[in-house]
Every structure is written in structure tokens, then in C-alpha cells.
Amino acid sequence: MRVLVTGGAGFIGSHIVTALAAAGHEPVVLDSLHPRAHAGRPPAGEARLVRADVRDRAAVAGALRGVSAVCHQAAMVGLGKNFADAPEYVGCNDLGTAVLLDAMATAGVSRLVLAGSMVVYGEGRYDCPRHGTVRPGPREPADLDAGRFECACPECGLPLEPGPVAEDAPADPRNVYAATKLAQEHLAAAWARATGGRAVSLRYHNVYGPGMPRDTPYAGVASLFRSALARGEAPRVFEDGGQRRDFVHVRDVAAANLAVLAALPGRPAGSFRAYNTGSGTPRTVGETAAELARACGGPEPVVTGEYRLGDVRHITASSQRLMTELGWRPAVGFAEGMAEFARAPQREPVTAGRPAG
């Protein structure tokens, strides 16, 4: 099967390309090779490359010739620095997705795997001992300044117990990036209904592994820790380090994409389905920094008490739906994956908001 991978020269996209080729498929890469993302690095692998922005409709139409399915990974990723990033995020993520879907409809390509994100949920699941499952609002700057990082029950103020979030949780995007990722899902669902297509969004949790970009505020926290250790510096852990996340290895994410591609022909026409894609084993940010420091033989992490507005306290996945319906299982354990990541090369520095890929 010929599969178009947008952003296929990027971190996650390149691993998907490798997995597709290993499985006997023919990947085609559409990637702008933006200098802020690639710093002159060539795309990995032997896949045919169409060097273009996903918003270039003519180039996208050409890349879709003979294609049976699309893995849409191209996006501007991360929280960014401030709201001034909003036009570029919306342009890359939402306009780019709309152009791609329009070209797919014209070309008759009816299968889509979207790189979704857990950020669409906002905060994760919380349970109050009095009120059951509740949804706390955004944390207040005054509380964060005072070092009160945990979310409290909006009804009674009691401490909350975090738990895994499932796909039926209400969406609550709390920054521009999150809003664009939710909009991508809405566009994909509308496209599927209008064209009879089949679309799946894999809501990635914290993806890490070989080839992550380094030294950028747009990268994942694991990459920032790894970059600091490579410089001989202690990883700087925000808040108190107790934030819970789900770190999933990039090869497991690539395998999830292949599992969805295999299942899409059997999905109902006009359907859209979301799947959490995580390891299922929550870790704190502090634990992750410490594990990487041990693996690198570097200095111990420093907990700074700093915070970023728009960050959520706890968000961990229940990936049971993906496991049950498609038979996918994460194969790379946390310690094993972090040890590999500690030794793996990273991409060259990125100095500004970057289109992924």
C-alpha cells in the first residue's frame, strides 16, 4: 500500500516511514524541510520526498497520486512562547489540515490517520472523595506563585486524586496549540461525514525517543532534560516535579499508526474515532528527569518551582480502547526507552516555532 506521510521527515513521521517500509508498504513523504525544524538534515530513509508545505494544494495533490491512505503528522507542535504564535499555529495546523482534506476528497483518498494529542482534554481525570469525578478549572497564577500546584475540587476545595483519562472525556483545550489540535479532529470528522471517508485520531501522549529536537521551547519535556544533560547541566524541573504524564516511545507510536492503517478498511464509511496512545504507566516529570540523569550519568535534577501558564497538572492516558479494538500494545518499557534515549542523537537546535517534520 502506498501511504502519504505528511511531516514524514520529522521526529514521529520519520519513525512511521521506517515502520511502513519495514512492513512492506510504500511510504511517500511530504515535508517542507523547514530550516527551523531540520537545520539542514536530510530526511531519513529511502522514501520518495515531496518537498512542500502542506498548505500548498498543488503539491499535496501531486503527492496523493496513487496513494491509498494518509498519515497526517505535519503540524506546529508544543505550547510555544506566547499568544503571538497563534496565527502560525492556526495556519500550519488547521489551514494545512483543511487543504490536505480537500485534496484527499478530490483525489478519492478515503483513509486518514491523524496525529492527535492528549492536550485536547486540558486537565486529566480527577476524583473528589465527596463529589466523585469533577473537572477543575485552569489553575490560578496566585496559587502557582504560592507553590500550590495541585488542583482542588471546584465544589468543596478538597484535594483531588488524578486518574487516567478516557476518550469520552469532554474536550477542554487550554492553549492555542490544544485548540488547533481539537480543530484538526473536527475537520477530520466533518471530512469523513461529507466524503464517506474513514478517519482516526491517535491522541499521542508524551512521545519521546531517538531523533527528538533539542534546545527548543517547543519540544517535549524529555527532550529539554536530555539537552541539558548533553551540555553537562542539571535538568530543570518546573513546579515541584510531581506533574504526572504518560511517556510513550516513538516506535510504539509508529506501531499504533500501522495498526490503525490495517484496521481502517473495516471501519464504517463516514466514521471518525479517537484513540489515546500512551504507555498506560504514569510517571512524574521529576521521575523522568531523574531516570534520564541516571542513564546519562549526569547531575541530578533541580526542582525550580517555576511554571508555565497553560500547562496542566496531571494528564495520563487510558489506552484501553486502542488495545481492545486494534490489539495494539506498547512494547518499549520506561527504563529501557529512557536508557536508549539517553544515548541517542538529537536533532539540531531549533530556534523558533517549528512545523513538525
Side-chain angles (χ1 to χ4, degrees):
M1 176 170 60
R2 183 177 295 173
V3 180
L4 177 64
V5 184
T6 69
F11 167 46
I12 298 175
S14 62
H15 283 272
I16 293 171
V17 167
T18 297
L20 284 167
H25 299 296
E26 180 187 351
V28 176
V29 171
L30 177 83
D31 201 298
S32 67
L33 298 183
H34 198 291
R36 290 181 297 179
H38 294 277
R41 291 173 60 96
E46 300 297 325
R48 178 168 72 89
L49 170 68
V50 178
R51 183 171 184 173
D53 192 291
V54 73
R55 290 166 286 187
D56 182 341
R57 195 188 187 289
V60 172
L64 285 168
R65 293 191 187 103
V67 162
S68 299
V70 174
C71 284
H72 182 30
Q73 308 297 311
M76 188 172 170
V77 300
L79 291 181
K81 295 179 180 179
N82 52 53
F83 202 81
D85 286 334
E88 192 169 6
Y89 271 100
V90 173
C92 287
N93 297 358
D94 298 337
L95 177 58
T97 298
V99 170
L100 172 66
L101 294 172
D102 176 42
M104 289 175 65
T106 301
V109 179
S110 61
R111 288 176 251 169
L112 173 71
V113 186
L114 173 67
S117 175
M118 53 82 178
V119 296
V120 301
Y121 298 116
E123 289 284 353
R125 173 179 170 155
Y126 291 90
D127 291 310
C128 171
R130 290 183 184 171
H131 297 98
T133 300
V134 296
R135 293 189 61 78
R139 295 179 294 171
E140 296 296 331
D143 288 331
L144 298 171
D145 287 335
R148 294 188 293 269
F149 300 119
E150 294 291 350
C151 297
C153 177
E155 300 293 333
C156 65
L158 284 175
L160 298 174
E161 180 65 29
V165 64
E167 292 87 350
D168 57 0
D172 186 16
R174 297 191 175 182
N175 53 63
V176 171
Y177 171 62
T180 66
K181 296 307 288 184
L182 183 59
Q184 282 186 312
E185 291 195 349
H186 290 321
L187 287 166
W191 164 83
R193 286 192 297 269
T195 66
R198 296 163 173 85
V200 162
S201 176
L202 290 173
R203 290 176 176 169
Y204 302 157
H205 281 245
N206 290 69
V207 185
Y208 74 98
M212 286 189 83
R214 65 182 178 92
D215 297 332
T216 167
Y218 299 81
V221 66
S223 182
L224 297 177
F225 293 158
R226 172 74 172 77
S227 298
L229 289 162
R231 298 190 300 268
E233 301 172 4
R236 295 176 60 82
V237 179
F238 280 16
E239 300 188 17
D240 60 0
Q243 312 93 298
R244 294 189 194 182
R245 298 292 188 266
D246 187 317
F247 293 89
V248 58
H249 196 277
V250 66
R251 287 197 299 275
D252 287 332
V253 167
N257 276 264
L258 265 66
V260 171
L261 284 170
L264 274 176
R267 298 286 304 158
S271 65
F272 172 85
R273 189 95 165 133
Y275 293 100
N276 286 336
T277 308
S279 72
T281 305
R283 303 283 179 173
T284 68
V285 171
E287 287 173 336
T288 303
E291 187 71 33
L292 269 176
R294 282 193 295 272
C296 290
E300 293 185 1
V302 174
V303 178
T304 70
E306 298 172 86
Y307 64 86
R308 293 193 305 179
L309 282 175
D311 274 352
V312 298
R313 179 60 177 176
H314 303 298
I315 177 70
T316 60
S318 170
S319 298
Q320 192 60 48
R321 176 187 287 184
L322 182 58
M323 295 178 185
T324 300
E325 294 186 6
L326 300 187
W328 171 85
R329 294 288 187 281
V332 183
F334 181 74
E336 172 194 354
M338 287 294 169
E340 178 197 22
F341 181 44
R343 301 186 299 268
Q346 293 175 280
R347 288 176 180 257
E348 292 304 310
V350 184
T351 57
R354 68 178 194 92

